[in-house]
Amino acid sequence: MRITGTGHASMRIDTAAGSILCDPWVNPAYFASWFPFPDNSLLDWETLGDVDYLYVSHLHRDHFDAEHLKRFISKKATVLLPEYPTSQLEDELRELGFKSFLKTKSDEVHELDGGLKVMIQALISPTDGPIGDSSLWVEHDGVRVLNQNDARPTDLTRFNELGHVHAHMLQFSGAIWYPMVYELPEAAKTAFGKQKRDRQFDRTWRYIDDLKADHVFPIAGPPCFLDDTLWQFNDIFGDEGNIFPDQSVFMAEYAKVGGTNGIVLLPGSVTTLSDKSAETTHPVPVDEFFANKQQHLEEMRERKAPVIAAEKASWRHPEIDVLGAMKKRIEPLLEESLYMAQGVGGPVRFDLTDSFGPDGEIVESIVVDFPGKQVRPYADEKVRYRFKTGRALIEHLIHIDEGDWVNSLFLSCRFSAARIGQYNEYVYAFFKCLSEERLQYAEGWYDEHEKAVEAEDTVLGDWTVQRRCPHLKADLSRFGIVDGNVLTCQLHGWKFDLPSGRCLTSVGHKIRAEKTAE
């Protein structure tokens, strides 16, 4: 088996039975804030993209690069599709021209042509990626690889059951906005950042110890930040609270806990893997490359400056009524939200500035009032959660009809935040669910898994049925229509025979229903 590093979480896996390209990311992500480091834009992507299989782990834009997928990746490739509760990943790949899909079952091994075996474990809670994250296991001719990328399963038991793993690829660095964007004293930011950095490494060590693979490959981070306003986030200033340590730091920290089997993949590095050994060649010496990291970053900053400038030129849409557009988009979702609205429990304030980030004069303040189920102008009330960002960024999100503000605005780090009290996952879960399908799924997931309240029934005609559709947990009090003895969920068109509870659309998914007593 041959593994070629192609940058960040991306790699190409070649076997005698076929090739798999994973998570190719080249273009800047999240409002041009994240770039792959080391730079992978000069690789021979025409050749690298000519593969038999494509695996995109999830929809985060440092894994799903639509522009690159459309331009360089062969549309003859079969997509290895994780079993996600919504169809968005498949839909977006089809829009890019991909036609062949292997719809995998989570935790099930699928044997492909030539004896190539794959298994994808899908994680599907509202907090996993943009509603979904996954890991890819590959086996050919007795050699096994786990590409965990930045998925965070509760354990790796399922992969261990399939046999000893020879190569384990996993995330070790930060991929979040905390604590850098919070309006805190610098000493507090450093302290919180150091805690997070330590937890990141501790989690990585636990995964490594769980799997006990022959070789460990640190991947999926960190990005680099080339815009002048974000430059300080690069780990080049000796800041112990920086959450973006690079691969060379990983190797040093891994050695401290006894790790001797780490392998770094630069873009263009090639590892030839067998069940006995791993031989790696690099385009440049690894230690020398990271010793000159700041110089490489400064060269990238100069090369990519026109790219950032062009992106910024596309963001402003002053013709958009931000308040009106937010009301139109968000208020219907607030009306439907039970668990997330209760979880947020108060208003969330957005201060919008005249710049491309939190620096600048505030020109408009808007409140998303979760208890009041409305979006309105800020009225000088006390709020527990506040975000400050450029009005142009919100204009652009509205202009492109973006339904996931986490996988765009928040990951960009082009904002500041303040809160009273602890981190609230419901705030961020809601803002990644600004579409009917996502909101219904997340609400149903919390209903089923979090047990915020007892699962409810609803009455539809002459029937009392479970309130949540067994398919994707849509609210049947809103989307359920009964015609005779058949219930149709209008959100996705699934049908159920009420006397038996049998799903008429697919195998399984039985519904609980009783005829209402006369």
Side-chain angles (χ1 to χ4, degrees):
M1 189 177 292
R2 187 172 73 250
I3 301 165
T4 303
T6 49
H8 197 63
S10 180
M11 70 193 75
R12 175 170 162 151
I13 301 171
D14 283 274
T15 74
S19 52
I20 307 172
L21 183 63
C22 306
D23 287 343
W25 170 46
V26 175
N27 296 292
Y30 315 126
F31 283 106
S33 61
W34 290 33
F35 285 78
F37 182 81
D39 188 8
N40 60 353
S41 61
L42 299 180
L43 293 175
D44 180 6
W45 282 107
E46 294 282 0
T47 300
L48 290 168
D50 184 15
V51 288
D52 300 297
Y53 301 96
L54 170 68
Y55 166 66
V56 177
S57 61
H58 61 300
L59 274 166
H60 274 151
R61 300 308 181 189
D62 56 318
H63 298 258
F64 179 89
D65 182 346
E67 180 182 342
H68 190 72
L69 289 167
K70 184 174 183 178
R71 180 177 177 187
F72 287 105
I73 312 308
S74 171
K75 303 309 175 290
K76 296 179 181 179
T78 296
V79 177
L80 304 175
L81 194 68
E83 187 182 18
Y84 285 146
T86 71
S87 63
Q88 187 176 355
L89 177 58
E90 179 182 355
D91 294 344
E92 294 205 22
L93 287 168
R94 286 191 183 277
E95 285 184 13
L96 296 175
F98 294 94
K99 297 179 177 62
S100 176
F101 290 81
L102 173 62
K103 297 182 179 182
T104 65
K105 295 291 185 182
S106 188
D107 286 331
E108 289 187 14
V109 175
H110 299 261
E111 184 161 350
L112 311 179
D113 293 342
L116 181 63
K117 297 178 182 179
V118 299
M119 183 185 78
I120 297 176
Q121 182 182 81
L123 306 179
I124 58 171
S125 88
T127 57
D128 288 316
I131 304 192
D133 206 342
S134 66
S135 302
L136 172 69
W137 174 93
V138 180
E139 179 183 350
H140 184 259
D141 198 22
V143 179
R144 303 178 193 91
V145 168
L146 173 60
N147 173 14
Q148 186 181 337
N149 62 82
D150 49 5
R152 298 182 186 178
T154 53
D155 60 60
L156 302 182
T157 300
R158 179 62 182 130
F159 303 108
N160 273 318
E161 292 172 351
L162 299 175
H164 179 69
V165 173
H166 302 97
H168 184 188
M169 293 81 174
L170 78 168
Q171 185 188 55
F172 63 97
S173 189
I176 197 69
W177 53 85
Y178 173 85
M180 306 89 66
V181 304
Y182 277 87
E183 297 170 10
L184 296 167
E186 288 303 316
K189 281 188 186 180
T190 298
F192 290 138
K194 186 177 186 306
Q195 290 173 9
K196 181 163 181 57
R197 183 169 169 138
D198 290 343
R199 287 198 305 269
Q200 291 168 179
F201 280 126
D202 288 342
R203 181 176 62 243
T204 304
W205 310 149
R206 287 197 299 272
Y207 280 133
I208 291 172
D209 188 59
D210 266 2
L211 200 63
K212 295 180 172 59
D214 291 344
H215 310 284
V216 172
F217 295 72
I219 65 163
C224 65
F225 301 87
L226 304 180
D227 192 351
D228 291 344
T229 61
L230 305 171
W231 181 254
Q232 70 274 12
F233 296 154
N234 295 302
D235 191 15
I236 54 176
F237 303 105
D239 176 11
E240 63 180 357
N242 188 290
I243 70 164
F244 300 110
D246 61 34
Q247 292 90 330
S248 66
V249 177
F250 167 88
M251 295 294 278
E253 294 297 318
Y254 191 32
K256 291 178 184 177
V257 296
T260 59
N261 61 341
I263 298 176
V264 172
L265 290 179
L266 301 175
S269 296
V270 177
T271 294
T272 303
L273 181 70
S274 73
D275 60 351
K276 301 282 195 305
S277 65
E279 302 293 333
T280 305
T281 60
H282 300 288
V284 295
V286 172
D287 291 343
E288 180 180 318
F289 178 86
F290 284 104
N292 296 311
K293 178 179 179 179
Q294 183 162 343
Q295 178 184 338
H296 291 306
L297 283 171
E298 289 172 349
E299 291 171 353
M300 277 188 72
R301 177 165 62 171
E302 185 174 350
R303 289 199 310 275
K304 303 296 186 182
V307 176
I308 296 173
E311 289 244 4
K312 286 182 175 180
S314 71
W315 296 344
R316 292 192 186 277
H317 301 278
E319 73 281 0
I320 289 177
D321 172 11
V322 172
L323 175 61
M326 287 180 65
K327 285 176 72 69
K328 183 178 179 181
R329 180 65 172 266
I330 295 174
E331 284 186 351
L333 301 175
L334 291 173
E335 285 293 337
E336 297 173 23
S337 177
L338 174 64
Y339 297 104
M340 286 189 287
Q342 288 180 343
V344 176
V348 175
R349 172 176 150 197
F350 284 82
D351 287 338
L352 308 183
T353 74
D354 58 2
S355 69
F356 288 128
D359 299 327
E361 182 180 347
I362 297 173
V363 294
E364 188 171 9
S365 291
I366 296 171
V367 163
V368 180
D369 185 345
F370 283 82
K373 304 289 187 179
Q374 65 175 163
V375 178
R376 55 177 171 76
Y378 174 56
D380 294 326
E381 72 266 43
K382 185 176 182 179
V383 299
R384 292 185 64 194
Y385 312 104
R386 177 173 59 78
F387 300 116
K388 186 180 180 184
T389 191
R391 189 182 193 277
L393 304 192
I394 304 297
E395 291 170 354
H396 189 65
L397 294 176
I398 293 167
H399 177 74
I400 65 174
D401 196 29
E402 176 60 63
D404 181 351
W405 288 16
V406 172
N407 191 21
S408 47
L409 172 62
F410 294 127
L411 280 170
S412 77
C413 300
R414 294 184 183 275
F415 74 105
S416 66
R419 70 178 188 235
I420 299 171
Q422 297 300 308
Y423 172 77
N424 187 323
E425 76 168 58
Y426 294 99
V427 174
Y428 295 102
F430 181 84
F431 284 105
K432 70 168 65 171
C433 294
L434 300 183
S435 71
E436 188 83 9
E437 186 179 36
R438 283 194 174 198
L439 181 101
Q440 286 294 322
Y441 173 72
E443 285 285 313
W445 192 94
Y446 282 118
D447 181 7
E448 181 177 347
H449 294 273
E450 298 297 314
K451 301 300 182 187
V453 298
E454 290 296 320
E456 300 175 61
D457 288 338
T458 190
V459 176
L460 299 174
D462 296 330
W463 292 88
T464 299
V465 302
Q466 67 187 65
R467 180 176 170 181
R468 293 288 170 180
C469 176
H471 171 220
L472 288 182
K473 314 305 179 190
D475 186 348
L476 293 174
S477 68
R478 295 193 65 253
F479 296 100
I481 298 294
V482 172
D483 183 5
N485 289 333
V486 175
L487 166 67
T488 300
C489 175
Q490 291 184 310
L491 187 61
H492 296 102
W494 282 46
K495 297 180 182 294
F496 302 87
D497 176 67
L498 292 174
S500 67
R502 183 168 61 90
C503 179
L504 302 175
T505 308
S506 179
V507 176
H509 299 284
K510 189 173 182 178
I511 197 167
R512 174 170 48 79
E514 292 181 356
K515 194 73 177 277
T516 305
E518 295 183 1

